[in-house]
Amino acid sequence: MDIDWGTLAGVSGVSLGITVVVVVMFSLGLAAWARAGHGEPAPDVPRGRHRKVAAVAAVLCFAACLSVAAYGIDLIVPS
């Protein structure tokens, strides 16, 4: 049995990169969700259009995380 170390390193690098991207996207989603005024209200939360833009940004970040997770499950679970 022979291991292709280059391929193993490539898969590990891509996995680490995707993990970092998903964590950053989720963190940005949480920050945008808080900026939109959901949860505990903060005194520096902007009003009006900025809240709507922050809410849309939060939903897009969460949707991106969900799509990455769904794609990973699709790869693992045989159809």
Side-chain angles (χ1 to χ4, degrees):
M1 184 167 166
D2 191 26
I3 297 175
D4 185 3
W5 292 102
T7 303
L8 182 63
V11 169
S12 298
V14 169
S15 298
L16 180 64
I18 293 297
T19 301
V20 169
V21 167
V22 168
V23 168
V24 168
M25 288 298 290
F26 191 78
S27 298
L28 289 174
L30 286 178
W33 190 256
R35 169 94 43 202
H38 300 287
E40 188 71 27
D44 64 341
V45 172
R47 300 286 183 243
R49 184 173 179 188
H50 295 291
R51 292 180 74 174
K52 291 178 185 176
V53 171
V56 168
V59 169
L60 288 175
C61 287
F62 292 143
C65 292
L66 183 63
S67 66
V68 169
Y71 181 66
I73 291 172
D74 184 52
L75 288 176
I76 293 171
V77 177
S79 49

